[in-house]
């Protein structure tokens, strides 16, 4: 299954926008686990996922060619 | 009344006299007269918002001028609120400008915010952003949120329902604030002046759309803007579950917004005079927690260099000094370092953080 990852802010420093080929990741909880394992720096940051441009508020099914955005909070002004 | 001033937007199809009257009747509060606040204020004032309040307790400094475009070099040292209000009043004498030269805190926020119809958050720290978001959610006030980081910005409107979703708030995105060392701020990480210019202007545009009821304001959506690619990515926001948000005034007043002035802490924030005193003691270690590339470079004989990126490895090591003074550029990272050391060493060491950092006490560091 192909998933497109889009990241923002300081998360772009270690996760580039990219398409990944993964097997066995069928929901957003599994995706979080996968991405935190692959990029451990993410574990220490606050971030929110968006699946196909919708904020993920509970575990949600991921289908082939989904886009997942990883968004950190910004406070600067 | 003043129709000639607003002629170009009154004759605009889809805007018109009615929309102009709505702007004139609106009361908008802009919090923070900084990189986001300055451009937002300029366009809100020019567009004819009838009442504009400005909150900021800060004075203008030289390093503000590349992005805070209401101010001139001659204004350095003056209060931002005063200079901004005067300038805006000159731009548009037909509107009312209300000055609030104060810092928002739990005990004054609800009172001030309740006097306005729309709140624009252009602050520069998470404490203020959560304080403002919670207050707006409690008061059910539309909140126009703009923030920047690096070359990117975020823009959203909270507490305004649309056909599908009741109003969402910032905690629906980020239930709790990040720790002090998690997210770098502008003064530590740098910011290109035009970026808050764009985001502040977009925040003014969203405010005007919301008041005039034109177009599709960013209600229940967050826009991510990238200056380097000119790309925008908009995400729909729905309600989150299980987060803590104050639902009454009492609950609000009991929240911990980590005001450094009132929070419980085991370390002590000091000024340069106290630093000098501590420096006399042989049992004091001075630690510069900035990264190795940062300037000004301090005398390494006096200041031990332990960058935040290496701090985890340093902490827990044995050293004889009783007093630990932590220093960084602006006194933000040093607080994070102080918290970490306090946790590790407890009462066995006295932990200090230089408030305001090297920039604030520049003269002291340049002569030493």
């Amino acid at each position: 299954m192909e998933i497109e990852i889009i990241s923002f802010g300081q998360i772009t420093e270690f996760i580039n926008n990219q398409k990944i080929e993964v097997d066995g990741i069928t929901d957003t909880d599994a995706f979080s686990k996968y991405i935190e394992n692959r990029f451990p720096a993410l574990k220490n940051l606050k971030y929110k996922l968006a699946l196909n441009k919708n904020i993920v508020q509970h575990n949600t099914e991921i289908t082939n060619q989904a886009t997942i955005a990883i968004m950190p909070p910004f406070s600067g002004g | 009344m003043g129709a000639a001033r607003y002629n170009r937007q009154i004759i605009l199809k889809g805007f018109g006299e009615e929309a102009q009257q709505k702007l004139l009747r609106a009361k908008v509060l802009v919090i923070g007269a900084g990189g986001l606040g300055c451009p937002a204020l300029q366009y809100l004032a020019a567009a004819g918002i009838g009442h504009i309040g400005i909150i900021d307790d800060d004075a203008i400094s030289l390093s503000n001028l590349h992005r805070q475009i209401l101010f001139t070099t001659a204004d350095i040292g003056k209060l931002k609120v005063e200079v901004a209000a005067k300038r805006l009043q000159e731009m548009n004498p037909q509107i009312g400008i209300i000055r609030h030269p104060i810092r928002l805190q739990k005990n004054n926020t609800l009172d001030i915010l309740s006097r306005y119809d729309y709140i624009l958050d252009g602050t520069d720290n998470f404490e203020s952003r959560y304080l403002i978001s919670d207050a707006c959610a409690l008061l059910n006030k539309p909140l126009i949120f703009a923030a920047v980081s690096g070359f990117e910005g975020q823009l959203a409107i909270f507490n305004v329902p649309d056909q599908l979703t009741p109003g969402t708030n910032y905690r629906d995105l980020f239930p709790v604030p990040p720790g002090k060392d998690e997210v770098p701020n502008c003064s530590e990480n740098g910011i290109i002046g035009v970026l808050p210019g764009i985001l502040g202007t977009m925040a003014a545009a969203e405010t005007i759309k919301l008041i005039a009821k034109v177009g599709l304001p960013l209600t229940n959506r967050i826009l991510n803007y990238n200056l380097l690619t000119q790309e925008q990515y908009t995400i729909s926001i729905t309600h989150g579950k299980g987060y803590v948000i104050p639902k009454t005034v009492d609950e609000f007043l009991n929240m911990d917004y980590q005001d450094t002035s009132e929070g419980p802490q085991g370390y002590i924030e000091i000024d340069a005079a106290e630093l000098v005193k501590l420096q006399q003691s042989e049992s004091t270690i001075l630690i510069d927690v900035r990264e190795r590339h940062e300037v000004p470079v301090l005398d390494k004989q006096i200041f031990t260099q332990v960058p935040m990126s290496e701090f985890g490895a340093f902490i827990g090591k044995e050293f004889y000094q009783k007093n630990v003074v932590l220093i960084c550029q602006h006194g933000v990272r040093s607080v994070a370092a102080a918290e970490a050391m306090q946790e590790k060493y407890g009462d066995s060491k006295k932990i200090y953080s230089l408030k305001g950092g090297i920039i604030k006490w520049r003269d002291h560091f340049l002569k030493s």
Side-chain angles (χ1 to χ4, degrees), chain B residues 190-298:
Chain B
I191 192 83
I192 190 159
V194 67
L195 176 69
I198 292 167
L199 265 294
T201 305
M202 286 166 96
E206 289 305 303
T207 309
I208 290 168
K209 282 162 62 185
L210 206 55
I211 296 168
K213 298 194 171 21
V214 298
L216 293 172
L218 278 168
T219 44
N220 296 326
R221 290 184 293 154
I222 180 163
L223 180 151
N224 289 268
Y225 172 82
N226 187 323
L227 180 96
L228 295 180
T229 60
Q230 289 293 8
E231 282 181 319
Q232 300 186 1
Y233 194 86
T234 307
I235 294 168
S236 294
I237 310 170
T238 48
H239 284 271
K241 290 182 296 224
Y243 59 77
V244 175
I245 186 163
K247 294 202 174 62
T248 64
V249 172
D250 280 348
E251 283 178 24
F252 178 80
L253 294 174
N254 282 321
M255 292 290 286
D256 178 14
Y257 291 102
Q258 296 180 332
D259 285 347
T260 45
S261 51
E262 48 184 68
Q265 56 195 35
Y267 60 90
I268 301 164
E269 291 195 277
I270 56 168
D271 61 17
E274 290 165 281
L275 170 71
V276 170
K277 262 188 242 163
L278 281 162
Q279 231 171 316
Q280 316 295 327
S281 162
E282 275 196 20
S283 196
T284 297
I285 179 169
L286 304 170
I287 302 179
D288 177 3
V289 302
R290 296 174 306 156
E291 300 303 314
R292 295 186 195 281
H293 59 83
E294 289 179 66
V295 290
V297 175
L298 303 183

Side-chain angles (χ1 to χ4, degrees), chain B residues 29 83 157 210:
Chain B
L29 177 66
V83 177
I157 297 175
L210 206 55

Side-chain angles (χ1 to χ4, degrees), chain B residues 110-123:
Chain B
L110 295 176
D111 174 40
I112 295 174
L113 268 57
S114 60
R115 299 179 213 167
Y116 293 86
D117 309 318
Y118 300 87
I119 314 296
L120 193 159
D121 178 1
T123 59

Side-chain angles (χ1 to χ4, degrees), chain A residues 20-36:
Chain A
I20 56 167
E21 197 57 54
V22 285
D23 286 319
I25 294 178
T26 55
D27 58 40
T28 48
D29 280 0
F31 176 82
S32 289
K33 239 179 244 164
Y34 164 82
I35 200 81
E36 285 188 4

